[in-house]
């Protein structure tokens, strides 16, 4: 039995090749001069001293990149009244105006990193400062400064989903209405590996080569093609190891376009290695959505309607996936696990003078689950009823599937009551009062919170996922797939799926996803789709390979094809001991057993019930997670160890946002005040102890593996469960309203001001 993951040995022994490990002969080094202000006109740029600096090859500014088109951003949907998304465009280097602190103004290319950095300091930029807005609420206020002249009121889209008329009627007939506003705070993705790239141009072939940290080469090629103005097949995106993605390595970034442009102009490769400061300033950021939610209840306490009014901060420019994440990404599970057709959401997408916002683990679904599950728990409390039984009353019953929600999406299966029951048992739900009293004796405030979340996994923009399988001499099999592994263990789980069909050892299977030697179309890793979608395609491809092998084996064994069967890695003449292994067959018939295959599988709906108990020390404001139960339905599980790791990672990421992480822009100056790990706290493994993971799998029929995604479920479930627990504990000290993060100082201050009231 394999211990750990196939990729572990390589990475733990330092043999992984990350973006900055790539070098090419003759490469030059890039450094970006970034705006030191949030909003200003660029009056002039004088780069003459920088150009004259020893070692400098060239300096590029906005006026030098005229042949590059704007970075793309689109949405396959319209807004209220047919409103189209307004995309004001984003140049690779600022042109005429800077719109957030960190906007790239110039790129210096030099013979060394140090020379490029030194020269950047010699560039004189004259700015004319403009007023800045950093919150979405500021941006939609009357008379607010405009981030882009062409976007009236800073509103790029007024989006809606659900049935507004039915929802109004439900609220009119409600016995009770419960309301809650919540702020899903802004966070910085912070993968271990800061961004970087190495751009090269092959003039003879007219080919661009971009080595970078990516979640999927095919997706990035399509985005690059829009900027470079060449077909995607003239571009290769190349990566081995990617040191974490979390959504913020999904999209193309301006620096990559500028580096490729420079490589072509200069006739030599250009390498850029970003810093942690640049991660904070110029990576896409996550969340930042304010929601006002309302529930309509009937006299028995059943939910009969729900509506949400959301304000989403998209930053200074539209990131390619920013609009999608903040519309469809949010409403694809609009009414959660509840049987409510009267549901409606309005989301206003707003520009501000901050770093662009796009996907961050969960990509919209944690915004929905947080707004809804905070509201539901609040309603149970208002009614003075048990939070679990309040939810149960409104669940979609198991018999009601397939179930189409008001937003138009169809859940295929689920057993929400079954999930709830298992979670209640694992959490010893009825024993909470005793634990709370015991904690009180120790001077601790103990609180409990629940979420019964659902999310959509498996969305993908590309129409198909193409895969290939090629045999190597020596009996190894290489899988080629479009979805990039950046921590999720795909080398192991994809090999597991293929090995299960072909009967060859997992160790003889290799995965390639972003190399110059192949060209596949398909979806990037995102939306927790890799195993359910690409894993399923690989499984079918392996089955096709076996079919192909039957006729080749018949030929080799001199038998009729109908007499040959495939059992545990061998083609055998039925009822005899004459056989040949698939590896030997591949060796004898070089290339003939290789296969190219494509298919597409779409959204599945993993769900779960998470129950958190936390304790707060009122003297210090310090919080501790005393117990955490996650009962999840991920359909069929391919690899339990990896799924457990994914859940732990997701929960910890959720806990990071709840307890410590917060990106803060100064409201006056627009400066990022939390630009380093000195000011921005990251969660560590010890944050989420006492974790109990329970499964309640209901295999989906929507893909051949019967799997649902798990990569983001931990976040979607934990944000509301943990904050509900924080609120419950704080109520013990008289605090009624509190927003993330529950850092010791903020908790302590909240308790102190509640005491004073
Ligand atoms: N798996 C399984 N059985 C299932 C579901 C999944 O065995 N029923 C396994 C899969 O085979 C895969 C892993 O669990 O090895 C995660 O699978 P999946 O849910 O398909 O998600 P993806 O592989 O597509 O990963 C994407 C998801 C996203 S969108 C973000 S963001 C994220 C995440 O995964 N970023 C991560 N997990 C991360 N983990 C690490 N270490 N680093 C990141 O950047």
């Amino acid at each position: 039995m394999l211990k750990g993951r196939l990729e572990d040995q390589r990475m733990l022994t330092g043999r992984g090749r990350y973006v900055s490990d790539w070098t090419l002969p003759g490469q030059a080094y890039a450094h970006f001069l970034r705006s030191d202000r949030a909003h200003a006109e660029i009056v002039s740029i004088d780069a003459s001293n920088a150009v004259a600096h020893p070692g400098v090859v060239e300096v590029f500014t906005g006026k030098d990149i005229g042949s590059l088109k704007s970075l793309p951003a689109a949405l396959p949907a319209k807004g209220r009244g047919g409103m189209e998304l307004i995309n004001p465009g984003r140049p690779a280097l600022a042109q005429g105006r800077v719109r957030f602190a960190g906007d790239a103004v110039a790129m210096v290319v030099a013979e060394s990193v140090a020379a490029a950095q030194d020269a950047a300091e010699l560039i004189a930029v004259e700015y004319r400062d403009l007023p800045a807005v950093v919150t979405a609420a500021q941006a939609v206020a009357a008379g607010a400064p405009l981030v882009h002249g062409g976007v009236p009121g800073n509103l790029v889209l007024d989006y809606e989903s659900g049935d507004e008329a039915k929802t109004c009627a439900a609220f009119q007939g409600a016995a009770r209405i419960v309301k809650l506003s919540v702020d899903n705070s802004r966070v910085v993705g912070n993968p271990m590996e800061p961004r970087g790239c190495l751009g090269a141009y092959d003039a003879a072939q007219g080919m661009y080569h971009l080595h970078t940290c990516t979640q999927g080469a095919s997706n990035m090629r399509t985005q690059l093609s829009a900027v470079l103005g060449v077909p995607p097949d003239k571009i290769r995106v190349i990566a081995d190891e990617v040191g974490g993605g979390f959504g913020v390595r999904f999209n193309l970034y301006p620096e990559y376009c500028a580096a490729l442009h420079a490589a072509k102009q200069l006739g030599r490769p250009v390498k850029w290695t970003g810093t942690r400061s640049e991660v904070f300033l110029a990576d896409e950021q996550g969340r930042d959505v304010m929601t006002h939610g309302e529930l309509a209840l009937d006299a028995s306490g059943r939910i009969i309607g729900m509506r949400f009014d959301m304000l989403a901060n998209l930053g200074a420019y539209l990131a390619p996936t920013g609009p999608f994440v903040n519309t469809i990404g949010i409403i694809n599970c609009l009414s959660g696990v509840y049987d409510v057709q009267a549901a409606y959401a309005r989301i206003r997408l707003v520009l501000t003078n901050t770093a662009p916002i796009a996907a961050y683990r969960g990509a919209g679904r944690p915004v929905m689950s947080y707004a809804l599950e905070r509201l539901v728990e609040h309603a149970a409390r208002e009614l003075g009823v048990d939070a679990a039984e309040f939810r149960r009353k409104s669940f979609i019953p198991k018999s009601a599937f397939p179930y189409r929600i008001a937003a138009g999406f169809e859940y295929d299966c689920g057993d929400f009551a079954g999930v709830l029951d298992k979670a209640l048992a694992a959490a010893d739900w009825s024993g909470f009062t005793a634990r709370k009293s015991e904690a009180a004796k120790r001077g601790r405030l103990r609180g409990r919170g629940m979420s019964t979340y659902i999310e959509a996994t498996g969305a993908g923009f590309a129409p198909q996922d193409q895969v290939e399988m090629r045999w190597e001499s020596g009996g190894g099999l290489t899988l080629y797939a479009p979805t990039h592994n950046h921590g999720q263990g795909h080398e192991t789980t994809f090999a597991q799926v293929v090995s299960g069909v072909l009967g060859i050892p997992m160790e003889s299977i290799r995965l390639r996803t972003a190399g110059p030697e192949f060209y596949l179309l398909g979806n990037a890793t995102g939306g927790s789709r890799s195993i359910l979608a690409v894993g399923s395609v690989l499984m079918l491809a392996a089955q096709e390979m076996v079919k192909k092998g039957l006729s080749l084996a018949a030929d080799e064994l001199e038998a009729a094809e109908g007499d040959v069967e495939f059992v545990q890695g061998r083609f055998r003449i039925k009822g005899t001991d004459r056989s040949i292994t698939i590896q030997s067959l591949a060796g004898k018939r070089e290339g003939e057993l290789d296969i190219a295959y494509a298919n597409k599988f779409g959204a599945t709906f993993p769900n779960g019930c998470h129950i958190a108990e936390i304790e707060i020390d009122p003297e210090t404001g310090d919080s501790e997670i005393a117990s955490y139960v996650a009962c999840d339905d991920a359909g069929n599980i391919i690899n339990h160890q990896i799924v457990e790791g994914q859940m732990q990672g997701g929960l910890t990421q959720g806990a990071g946002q709840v307890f410590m992480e917060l990106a803060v822009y100064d409201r006056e100056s627009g400066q990022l005040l939390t630009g380093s790990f000195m000011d921005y706290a990251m969660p560590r493994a010890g944050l989420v102890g006492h974790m109990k993971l329970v499964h309640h799998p209901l295999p989906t029929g929507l893909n051949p593996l019967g799997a649902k995604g798990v990569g983001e479920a931990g976040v979607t479930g934990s944000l509301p469960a943990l904050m509900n627990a924080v609120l419950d504990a704080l109520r013990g000290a008289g605090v009624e309203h509190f927003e993330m993060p529950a850092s010791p100082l903020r908790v302590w201050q909240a308790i102190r001001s509640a005491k004073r009231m």
Side-chain angles (χ1 to χ4, degrees), residues 114-451:
Q117 275 176 353
D118 287 348
E121 291 185 13
L122 303 175
I123 300 175
V125 185
E126 190 189 338
Y127 290 110
R128 188 175 299 127
D129 283 324
L130 295 166
V133 283
V134 298
T135 69
Q138 280 180 320
V140 293
L146 293 184
V147 181
H148 290 265
V151 184
N154 293 315
L155 183 71
V156 288
L157 188 68
D158 191 349
Y159 181 77
E160 68 177 348
S161 177
D163 191 330
E164 189 173 18
K166 205 183 245 181
T167 307
C168 271
F171 273 83
Q172 272 160 13
R176 186 162 184 165
I177 295 172
V178 179
K179 303 177 182 182
L180 184 71
S181 295
V182 297
D183 186 1
N184 204 319
S185 51
R186 187 180 185 112
V187 286
V188 179
N190 267 314
M192 279 194 296
E193 183 188 26
R195 274 190 302 122
C197 68
L198 173 57
Y201 182 71
D202 176 348
Q205 308 287 328
M207 291 281 297
Y208 290 91
H209 289 247
L210 178 72
H211 299 70
T212 195
C213 25
T214 180
Q215 291 181 211
S218 171
N219 169 67
M220 205 167 265
R221 275 196 317 255
T222 310
Q223 293 179 351
L224 262 174
S225 152
V227 179
L228 297 172
V230 299
D233 64 6
K234 288 287 172 197
I235 304 164
R236 290 291 180 274
V237 172
I238 302 155
D240 279 354
E241 249 66 77
V242 170
F246 307 112
V248 298
R249 298 289 178 263
F250 189 95
N251 285 323
L252 176 66
Y253 280 90
E255 293 88 349
Y256 309 163
C257 308
L260 282 173
H261 178 79
K264 183 177 180 188
Q265 297 292 311
L266 302 173
R268 60 191 285 196
V270 173
K271 179 170 179 169
W272 169 63
T273 304
T275 60
R276 181 59 55 183
S277 300
E278 287 174 299
V279 168
F280 276 102
L281 283 173
D283 269 19
E284 291 164 358
Q285 300 185 356
R287 319 269 192 251
D288 205 349
V289 181
M290 287 188 336
T291 304
H292 175 73
E294 300 187 359
L295 278 190
L297 306 172
D298 70 11
S300 74
R302 202 181 171 284
I303 305 170
I304 55 166
M306 56 178 74
R307 59 186 171 207
F308 301 92
D309 189 1
M310 300 186 171
L311 201 49
N313 186 344
L314 266 72
Y317 304 96
L318 296 184
T321 51
F324 179 87
V325 164
N326 283 289
T327 52
I328 297 166
I330 292 178
I331 56 83
N332 55 20
C333 292
L334 170 61
S335 41
V337 292
Y338 306 107
D339 183 9
V340 180
Q341 287 298 313
Y344 177 76
R346 177 187 184 192
I347 313 172
R348 281 172 292 162
L349 273 52
V350 172
L351 297 179
T352 62
N353 297 107
T354 60
I357 292 245
Y360 175 66
R361 205 166 187 173
R365 287 107 69 200
V367 169
M368 192 66 243
S369 74
Y370 188 69
L372 176 56
E373 288 301 305
R374 286 280 320 272
L375 178 60
V376 165
E377 189 111 337
H378 181 66
R381 195 189 135 68
E382 293 269 294
L383 265 58
V385 297
D386 180 89
E389 296 318 310
F390 175 72
R391 286 176 165 92
R392 190 195 297 277
K393 200 177 262 186
S394 300
F395 278 166
I396 302 165
K398 196 175 172 187
S399 56
F401 293 94
Y403 182 93
R404 189 170 292 280
I405 62 169
F409 296 84
E410 188 175 277
Y411 300 164
D412 63 312
C413 65
D415 175 16
F416 307 139
V419 167
L420 177 71
D421 285 337
K422 266 194 195 168
L424 292 177
D428 182 23
W429 183 257
S430 56
F432 174 68
T433 316
R435 290 192 292 279
K436 185 173 172 163
S437 317
E438 185 276 325
K441 284 186 200 141
R442 287 184 280 112
R444 297 282 194 276
L445 300 165
R446 190 159 177 131
R448 178 175 68 182
M450 170 182 271
S451 74

Side-chain angles (χ1 to χ4, degrees), residues 362-702:
R365 287 107 69 200
V367 169
M368 192 66 243
S369 74
Y370 188 69
L372 176 56
E373 288 301 305
R374 286 280 320 272
L375 178 60
V376 165
E377 189 111 337
H378 181 66
R381 195 189 135 68
E382 293 269 294
L383 265 58
V385 297
D386 180 89
E389 296 318 310
F390 175 72
R391 286 176 165 92
R392 190 195 297 277
K393 200 177 262 186
S394 300
F395 278 166
I396 302 165
K398 196 175 172 187
S399 56
F401 293 94
Y403 182 93
R404 189 170 292 280
I405 62 169
F409 296 84
E410 188 175 277
Y411 300 164
D412 63 312
C413 65
D415 175 16
F416 307 139
V419 167
L420 177 71
D421 285 337
K422 266 194 195 168
L424 292 177
D428 182 23
W429 183 257
S430 56
F432 174 68
T433 316
R435 290 192 292 279
K436 185 173 172 163
S437 317
E438 185 276 325
K441 284 186 200 141
R442 287 184 280 112
R444 297 282 194 276
L445 300 165
R446 190 159 177 131
R448 178 175 68 182
M450 170 182 271
S451 74
T452 46
Y453 78 91
I454 184 163
E455 59 163 17
T457 58
F461 302 107
Q464 286 217 305
D465 286 308
Q466 297 179 340
V467 302
E468 284 186 26
M469 298 187 188
R470 296 186 206 159
W471 290 93
E472 312 297 336
S473 56
L477 180 69
T478 303
L479 314 181
Y480 299 87
T483 165
H484 203 82
N485 182 19
H486 51 273
Q488 297 88 348
H490 295 168
E491 285 176 50
T492 306
T493 46
F494 287 1
Q496 211 177 319
V497 167
V498 171
S499 152
V501 178
L502 301 183
I504 59 172
M506 283 169 65
E507 289 78 357
S508 63
I509 301 175
R510 206 166 71 95
L511 177 65
R512 299 278 295 139
T513 53
E517 79 280 19
F518 62 99
Y519 184 85
L520 293 177
L521 301 177
N523 290 288
T525 300
S528 300
R529 67 186 308 283
S530 299
I531 200 67
L532 73 91
V534 176
S536 290
V537 176
L538 283 166
M539 186 176 94
L540 296 182
Q543 289 169 352
E544 288 298 315
M545 182 181 272
V546 169
K547 276 191 215 155
K548 202 174 176 189
L550 285 172
S551 81
L552 294 175
D555 197 29
E556 283 295 322
L557 296 169
E558 296 176 344
E561 192 179 327
D563 292 338
V564 179
E565 61 184 358
F566 183 71
V567 184
Q568 292 179 341
R570 284 181 174 273
F571 294 98
R572 189 173 60 193
I573 303 177
K574 290 175 195 163
T576 74
D577 59 359
R578 289 192 50 217
S579 69
I580 182 169
T581 66
I582 190 166
Q583 282 166 307
S584 314
L585 183 67
K588 281 177 182 269
R589 309 292 290 253
E590 206 185 313
E592 289 183 66
L593 206 49
D594 293 353
I595 202 149
Y597 184 81
N599 208 325
K600 186 171 183 189
F601 297 96
T604 63
F605 297 90
N607 57 87
C609 174
H610 290 200
I611 300 172
E613 289 188 22
I614 70 140
E615 285 190 10
I616 293 176
D617 179 346
E619 298 303 319
T620 61
D622 198 27
S623 309
E624 189 196 343
I625 299 172
S627 87
Y628 197 99
V629 167
C631 177
D632 296 284
D633 167 11
N636 284 334
I637 289 179
I638 311 308
N639 184 311
H640 281 270
Q641 187 187 23
I642 286 179
V643 164
E644 203 165 297
Q646 284 294 308
M647 287 308 296
Q648 285 176 354
L651 294 177
T652 309
Q653 215 159 331
Q657 187 177 354
V658 167
F659 290 107
M660 51 192 69
E661 295 182 59
L662 183 66
V664 182
Y665 282 91
D666 183 72
R667 281 171 177 252
E668 291 298 314
S669 66
Q671 292 293 334
L672 180 64
L673 301 180
T674 50
S676 79
F677 288 141
M678 295 290 282
D679 321 289
Y680 186 100
M682 289 294 285
R684 301 183 192 152
L687 179 65
V688 190
H690 315 287
M691 203 187 295
K692 206 187 271 184
L693 303 180
V694 186
H695 299 293
H696 187 75
L698 228 71
T700 172
L702 296 176

